[in-house]
Amino acid sequence: LGLRSGGGRRTRLIAVSHAAEAEARFAVGRLTEAAMDEALDQRAALRAPAPPDEVNGTRAQEALAAALGPAAVLTLPFRVHDLPLGAATFERAAARPFSPEEVAHLDFVVALAGPLIHQRREADRPVAVLAWRAAGAHAARLFGPGHAGRKLAVAGAAALVATFSLWQGDYRVTADAVMRGEVERSVSAPFDGFLREAPARAGDLVAEGELIAALDDRDLALERLERLGEKRRAELEYGRAIGEGAPAEAEIFRNRVAQAEAQIALADAQIARARLVSPFDGVVVSGDQSQNIGGAVRRGDVLFEIAPRGRYRVDLSVPERAIGDVAVGRRGALVTTSLPDRSFAVVVERITPVAEAAEGGAVFRVEARLDEDAGPLRPGMRGVVKIDVDRRLMIEIWTRALVDWVRLTLWSWFG
């Protein structure tokens, strides 16, 4: 039995029946391999002595038959996927040449056994050899004729690798944002009372000193009139005591006059405080008391919150995984939900070193300021801020979250 190595042009003898006689047969090994090559190259079953109608060359067969004593020789090639893989050579006494029936029978046996022998042989090869041969086969398909689909796939993969190896973009950290006033002043009820009017609502622009709400001051006005009457009576009594020469009684009424004057001053102050006015030019951030006219309010109840006009800050919620890329002074752009067609430049001013629980994970609070005129922006508007960090490969930007997760998982498993 002889086999050819992958892509080889010569057959190598690998087995001889009656192994004890192998050494005696070694001298004719070269002749046997030549007979096998002759049959494989011509893709035909060859015999010696050759039948009268033989059209193929049988010189190697006859040389082997002569060397064996003489003998009758039959060589049958076998192929797999139309590739010449090996041959089997049979020999016996010259007086018994192989009949056509025997040739057909042996050819059937060799055709079945040859591929099985080849598979066993390939399975026993080292892994490195199998890998090398597989690589060679793929290379032959890639650079040889045909296999257009394979070539297109490899070219596309190479183009993809080259693209992601060179394509860079701006790496930016994305964070949810909300507009807030730089300073938010609360306007509270100065005393227990009832709301008389509230012309301002959330979102209104107000000027410094402009009325935004007023409490009912009629009780205070009546109390003031009552105190004025007490003062007038005390003054009259004080004048009478002075006229009668009663200094002790005069001192008592003088104190009552001073007490009435203090109560009048208190009533005047409360009446003035009943008018709630804006402390500066600004915008009403929260508060709508238009549905509470006539309702009771208690001292200290916050009725409105006002922020200075045009002086805002941007509060960002930066995800925990990206806080390391954010630094004070980095610039970015804000786009709000209400103004999606316009962006506003921002600058990071402060990073709060405390994480807060939020939906989807922890976030850090970061404060930024607008680096341009606020224009139509108002406190309470929400949107998204993208903070510029640096330029990186696009594939690195897209896979950053996955890579960080893999690193953390591997570290948690293996330390």
Side-chain angles (χ1 to χ4, degrees):
L1 179 66
L3 293 177
R4 281 187 175 179
S5 58
R9 299 293 299 173
R10 294 187 58 85
T11 306
R12 185 173 64 88
L13 190 63
I14 64 167
V16 179
S17 61
H18 304 88
E21 303 176 9
E23 295 183 2
R25 294 173 176 269
F26 183 77
V28 296
R30 296 287 182 86
L31 295 175
T32 305
E33 291 175 348
M36 293 178 175
D37 287 334
E38 186 178 57
L40 282 168
D41 292 341
Q42 298 182 77
R43 300 188 178 187
L46 302 181
R47 296 184 272 175
D53 57 348
E54 182 64 64
V55 296
N56 295 305
T58 58
R59 181 177 301 179
Q61 311 300 320
E62 293 172 354
L64 177 60
L68 290 174
V73 173
L74 170 65
T75 301
L76 300 172
F78 61 87
R79 309 172 70 84
V80 176
H81 302 304
D82 204 33
L83 294 177
L85 295 181
T89 299
F90 301 89
E91 55 102 354
R92 64 183 181 188
R96 297 178 56 203
F98 293 95
S99 65
E101 292 77 11
E102 291 175 326
V103 172
H105 178 74
L106 292 175
D107 188 33
F108 178 76
V109 173
V110 170
L112 291 178
L116 297 177
I117 295 172
H118 171 71
Q119 291 177 4
R120 292 292 301 273
R121 182 194 185 198
E122 293 298 313
D124 291 339
R125 291 185 183 276
V127 175
V129 174
L130 295 177
W132 176 259
R133 292 182 62 180
H138 286 295
R141 296 188 185 97
L142 180 61
F143 298 104
H147 304 284
R150 182 186 298 268
K151 292 180 174 62
L152 288 176
V154 172
L160 197 62
V161 171
T163 298
F164 285 119
S165 298
L166 301 175
W167 184 19
Q168 291 187 338
D170 294 327
Y171 170 54
R172 299 187 293 178
V173 173
T174 302
D176 294 333
V178 58
M179 294 292 303
R180 300 195 186 280
E182 186 179 288
V183 177
E184 293 187 356
R185 183 74 60 83
S186 297
V187 178
S188 305
F191 50 80
D192 295 346
F194 298 92
L195 193 64
R196 187 181 68 192
E197 59 178 320
R201 298 183 183 183
D204 290 348
L205 297 177
V206 292
E208 181 178 357
E210 180 179 343
L211 178 69
I212 58 176
L215 301 183
D216 190 351
D217 58 357
R218 288 176 296 182
D219 290 344
L220 296 174
L222 292 174
E223 184 179 352
R224 183 177 185 278
L225 290 176
E226 182 179 352
R227 300 307 176 193
L228 283 173
E230 291 178 359
K231 177 185 175 183
R232 181 62 58 86
R233 289 192 296 271
E235 289 175 342
L236 292 175
E237 293 293 333
Y238 175 71
R240 182 187 60 77
I242 292 294
E244 294 177 354
E249 188 177 356
E251 182 64 21
I252 292 174
F253 287 111
R254 189 182 69 81
N255 289 337
R256 288 182 179 179
V257 171
Q259 181 180 4
E261 289 178 345
Q263 291 175 336
I264 292 171
L266 176 61
D268 289 340
Q270 288 181 325
I271 291 173
R273 291 169 61 193
R275 289 176 52 84
L276 306 179
V277 298
S278 173
F280 42 69
D281 294 343
V283 57
V284 179
V285 177
S286 65
D288 182 2
Q289 301 296 327
S290 61
Q291 304 299 318
N292 194 33
I293 302 300
V297 294
R298 300 183 62 83
R299 181 179 181 180
D301 288 347
V302 177
L303 304 180
F304 300 94
E305 289 185 346
I306 302 176
R309 190 183 308 174
R311 294 167 55 189
Y312 306 137
R313 75 169 191 265
V314 186
D315 286 352
L316 312 180
S317 299
V318 179
E320 182 182 14
R321 67 176 182 276
I323 191 63
D325 295 323
V326 179
V328 174
R330 292 198 185 278
R331 296 183 174 273
L334 164 68
V335 175
T336 61
T337 304
S338 57
L339 300 170
D341 57 339
R342 181 176 175 183
S343 64
F344 299 85
V346 298
V347 180
V348 176
E349 282 195 330
R350 182 184 178 189
I351 300 174
T352 305
V354 178
E356 300 178 1
E359 184 178 357
V363 296
F364 282 81
R365 295 297 177 188
V366 175
E367 293 182 8
R369 61 174 172 83
L370 288 170
D371 201 29
E372 60 179 272
D373 181 35
L377 293 178
R378 295 290 183 270
M381 287 185 174
R382 295 183 177 273
V384 175
V385 167
K386 290 184 177 291
I387 304 172
D388 297 326
V389 179
D390 54 22
R391 289 187 63 81
R392 300 181 183 180
L393 292 175
M394 292 301 297
I395 189 65
E396 181 182 354
I397 296 174
W398 293 344
T399 60
R400 182 180 183 277
L402 176 61
V403 171
D404 290 345
W405 177 82
V406 171
R407 287 175 177 171
L408 183 61
T409 302
L410 291 177
W411 185 87
S412 64
W413 286 353
F414 306 107

